């Protein structure tokens, strides 16, 4: 027994001495040319190792190398090397070395630079141009160099201070990913690989962990499974699926789910202040055979109460990227995004002077279809909304249809930015059966009952902003309102409360009657080069009172110069001209200003000088009075349908009225407008 123990001790000592001698005498650098030759033969690329392969002796020997690089594809624009590593360290297991095996417990890469790039055909520089016969030769050990290279297995990989650059050769975009720490765990080549990574993409932090497919599956470029979760910037993300050809990044089929705590967390992406809305969630299935044709199916987006679903396709064409979108929604509520203006200073202009981002239209082609059951804004609600939008080579075409306030709204829009001239805009918009009583209003104030509205807008303009569009607009605006119960108090009507205020101040029945029965109302504007000249194309008629308006609206400057005159209708016990008062509406579209002459200086027969002193109100009233007191149908006149309106539109035949009388009437009207409006 003692002899056995002695022999055992001697054997152990001999083994230890043998290990020490083996480690100290092993020339690991002898494998350097073998490794380089094998990699070059297998990949068709050059592998460089500047320093010697070194072995640090211990019971867990450490193999190190400095200045390792792997050459790039010959067509690459990112430099001669696709991969460079400042320092490589491999911690090996000791015992497998006696069997001629290299078993790496931990593989460490420090100061790594990786440049990934696709060419104009979408082919990546990581796709190796190799001969399959060469690969088979190396794999079967028939190559002499390969037979000298011992089998290598790796349990874990750790990467620190790595920079990955990706150049899209199709779009020209460049993206960079900085990896602070990346670690993997590998039990064997046939087992799944677990990993964790801490990185940053620009200013956005990334923390991910998950499970990937086996190493041998990756090397064989076979279907490769993914299961990843973690956080990218403000998003919690989960990705599951597979890549059919991982080495060439082809045949991707993955499910993506992401959510953020609140929408305001995305301020850094949006470049603006977003409201605090929750939840914020996105999910979908992404498929693409290569980076030139990407499908997103089963898309679901949830932002607060709003939702969106559908599918998106992205294709890289010979000209511009082409995006196709088919989207549906139960509710799109943009109310939280509308800034509350109550109690704040209103803008100086109704139409924005901010230049339109028309340059962005040249970056992509788009075909979008959106169907939403309900859409909400701060001022309006729409139902059964349908929008078809086409963007083709900087030319935008849109068709909309919607239900609104019990009626319908439909139209066609186009925006052409294909020339060096300012963008050209065209509009055809029709509204039918829109109910005045269902339009947004202050619930605390009296409001209309009934009131069907029909409207038509058509025309075109050109400019770099909405203000320029309207300043050069040519077209027509027609609004017709049917019977409605109208409260005799100040109410808001699409911001036109100044008209209603004037009506109530000039209406002698407003104190005795709580309501007026509106029979009709008309706005009929013919706009030329941003200016509309109005001759009784503003009209409103109740059962007791009518009101007509003339003047000018300048959409270039947004200046208002309008005269409003009420008069009593026949059959109510008052003469046509017995209602005194006249009003002028000045100011701008954003800030209208009313001047009301409720005393009716027209009845006093004032002189021209006095009329000028009162701002032209009485002279304007005289012109309007002469033209309206004999008109029983002001709404038809506004539409150009009455006998009076048609007669005025006809050439003067000289058969019905003496020429001198006609001339006096016209001169009176023209003179009044010239002194009031300065033209």
């Amino acid at each position: 027994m003692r002899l056995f123990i002695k022999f055992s001790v001697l054997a152990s000592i001999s083994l230890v001495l043998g290990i020490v001698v083996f480690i100290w005498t092993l020339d690991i650098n002898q494998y350097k040319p073998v490794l380089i030759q094998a990699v070059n033969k297998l990949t068709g690329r050059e592998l460089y190792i500047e320093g010697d392969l070194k072995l640090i002796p211990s019971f867990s020997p450490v193999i190190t190398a400095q200045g390792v690089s792997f050459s790039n594809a010959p067509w690459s624009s990112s430099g001669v090397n696709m991969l460079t590593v400042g320092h490589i360290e491999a911690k090996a297991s000791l015992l497998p070395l006696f069997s001629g095996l290299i078993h790496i417990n931990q593989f460490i890469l420090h100061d790594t630079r990786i440049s990934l790039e696709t060419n104009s055909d979408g082919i990546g520089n990581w796709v190796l141009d190799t001969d399959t016969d060469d690969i088979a030769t190396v794999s079967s050990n028939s190559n002499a160099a390969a037979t000298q290279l011992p089998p290598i297995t790796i349990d874990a990989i750790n990467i620190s201070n790595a920079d990955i650059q990706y150049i899209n050769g199709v779009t020209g975009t460049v993206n960079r990913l900085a990896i602070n720490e990346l670690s993997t765990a590998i039990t064997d080549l046939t087992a799944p690989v677990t990993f964790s990574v801490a990185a940053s993409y620009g200013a956005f932090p990334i923390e991910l962990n998950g499970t990937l497919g086996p190493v041998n599956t990756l090397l064989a470029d076979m279907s490769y499974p993914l299961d990843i979760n973690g956080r990218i910037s403000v998003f919690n993300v989960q990705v599951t699926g597979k890549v059919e050809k991982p080495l060439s990044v082809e045949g991707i089929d993955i499910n993506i789910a992401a959510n953020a705590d609140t929408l305001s967390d995305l301020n850094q992406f949006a470049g603006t202040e977003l409201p605090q809305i929750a939840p914020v969630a996105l999910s979908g299935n992404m498929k693409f055979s290569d980076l030139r044709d990407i499908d997103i199916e089963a898309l679901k987006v949830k932002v607060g109460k709003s939702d969106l679903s559908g599918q998106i396709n992205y294709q890289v064409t010979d000209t511009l990227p082409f995006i196709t979108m088919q989207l549906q929604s139960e509710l799109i509520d943009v109310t939280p995004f509308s800034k509350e203006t109550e109690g704040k200073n209103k803008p100086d202009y109704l139409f924005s002077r901010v230049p339109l981002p028309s340059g962005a239209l040249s970056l992509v082609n788009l075909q979008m279809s959106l169907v939403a059951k309900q859409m909400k804004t701060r001022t309006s609600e729409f139902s059964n909304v349908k929008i078809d939008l086409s963007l083709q080579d900087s030319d935008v075409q849109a068709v909309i249809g919607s239900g609104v306030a019990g009626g319908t709204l439909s139209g066609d829009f186009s925006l052409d930015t294909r020339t060096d001239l300012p963008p050209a805009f065209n509009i055809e918009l029709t509204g039918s059966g829109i109910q005045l009583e269902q339009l947004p209003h202050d619930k605390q104030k009296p409001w209309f009952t009934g009131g069907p509205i029909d409207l038509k807008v058509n025309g075109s303009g050109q400019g770099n902003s909405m203000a320029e569009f309207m300043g050069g607009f040519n077209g027509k605006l027609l609004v017709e309102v049917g019977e409605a119960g109208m409260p005799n108090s100040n109410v808001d009507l699409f911001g036109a409360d100044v008209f209603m205020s004037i009506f109530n101040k000039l209406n002698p029945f407003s104190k005795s009657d709580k309501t007026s029965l509106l029979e009709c109302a008309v706005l009929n504007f013919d706009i030329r080069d941003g200016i509309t000249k109005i001759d009784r194309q503003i009209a409103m008629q109740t059962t007791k009172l009518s009101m007509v308006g003339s003047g000018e609206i300048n959409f270039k400057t947004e200046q208002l110069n309008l005269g409003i005159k009420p008069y009593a209708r026949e059959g109510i016990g008052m003469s046509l001209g017995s209602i005194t008062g006249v009003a002028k509406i000045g100011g701008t579209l954003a800030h209208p200003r009313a001047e009301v002459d409720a005393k009716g200086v027209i009845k006093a027969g004032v002189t021209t000088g006095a009329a000028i002193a009162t701002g032209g109100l009485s002279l304007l009233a005289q012109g309007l009075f002469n033209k309206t007191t004999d008109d029983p149908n002001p709404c038809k006149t506004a539409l150009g349908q009455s006998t009076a309106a048609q007669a005025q539109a006809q050439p003067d035949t000289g058969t019905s009225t003496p020429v001198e009388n006609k001339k006096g009437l016209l001169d009176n009207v023209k003179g009044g407008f010239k002194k009031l409006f300065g033209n």
Side-chain angles (χ1 to χ4, degrees), residues 579-598:
I579 295 180
T580 62
V582 67
K584 172 188 174 183
I585 300 178
T588 66
L589 291 170
H591 299 278
R593 184 179 64 255
E595 301 174 17
V596 178
D597 173 23

Side-chain angles (χ1 to χ4, degrees), residues 280-294:
V280 178
L282 178 149
S283 63
N285 173 255
M286 179 182 291
K287 296 180 180 178
F288 57 90
S289 57
D290 58 51
L291 296 175
R292 298 174 61 87
D293 190 350
I294 302 175

Side-chain angles (χ1 to χ4, degrees), residues 55-226:
L55 175 64
I56 301 175
S58 73
F59 286 103
S60 294
V62 178
I63 304 171
T64 64
Q66 307 291 330
V68 178
S69 60
F70 183 67
S71 65
N72 215 333
W75 49 262
S76 176
S77 63
S78 58
V80 295
N81 293 322
M82 186 180 80
L83 168 69
T84 60
V85 183
H87 174 78
I88 295 180
E89 184 175 307
K91 296 181 180 180
S93 295
L94 183 59
L95 293 179
L97 292 175
F98 292 101
S99 302
L101 303 176
I102 298 178
H103 183 88
I104 306 300
N105 296 322
Q106 189 177 34
F107 190 69
I108 299 173
L109 302 177
H110 185 65
D111 291 338
T112 303
R113 300 294 177 263
I114 301 175
S115 179
L116 304 177
E117 182 179 5
T118 61
N119 60 19
S120 58
D121 295 323
I123 299 174
N125 63 341
W126 56 87
V127 178
L128 303 175
D129 185 14
T130 57
D131 192 319
T132 56
D133 292 336
D134 291 337
I135 297 175
T137 301
V138 173
S139 301
S140 63
N141 293 327
S142 60
N143 184 283
T147 58
Q148 300 178 41
L149 184 65
I152 300 175
T153 58
I154 302 174
D155 287 343
I157 298 175
N158 292 88
I159 299 176
S160 61
N161 190 27
D163 181 78
I164 301 175
Q165 173 184 264
Y166 174 68
I167 302 175
N168 190 320
V170 178
T171 63
T173 57
V174 179
N175 299 290
R176 283 184 169 85
L177 175 69
I179 298 178
N180 301 324
E181 293 287 341
L182 184 149
S183 61
T184 67
I186 308 170
T187 56
D188 61 66
L189 297 181
T190 62
V193 177
T194 61
F195 79 96
S196 64
V197 60
S200 60
Y201 179 76
F204 308 130
I206 298 173
E207 294 184 1
L208 298 173
N209 58 78
T211 303
L212 307 176
V215 174
N216 61 354
T217 302
L218 175 65
L219 296 177
D221 204 19
M222 297 173 59
S223 182
Y224 195 67
L226 308 171

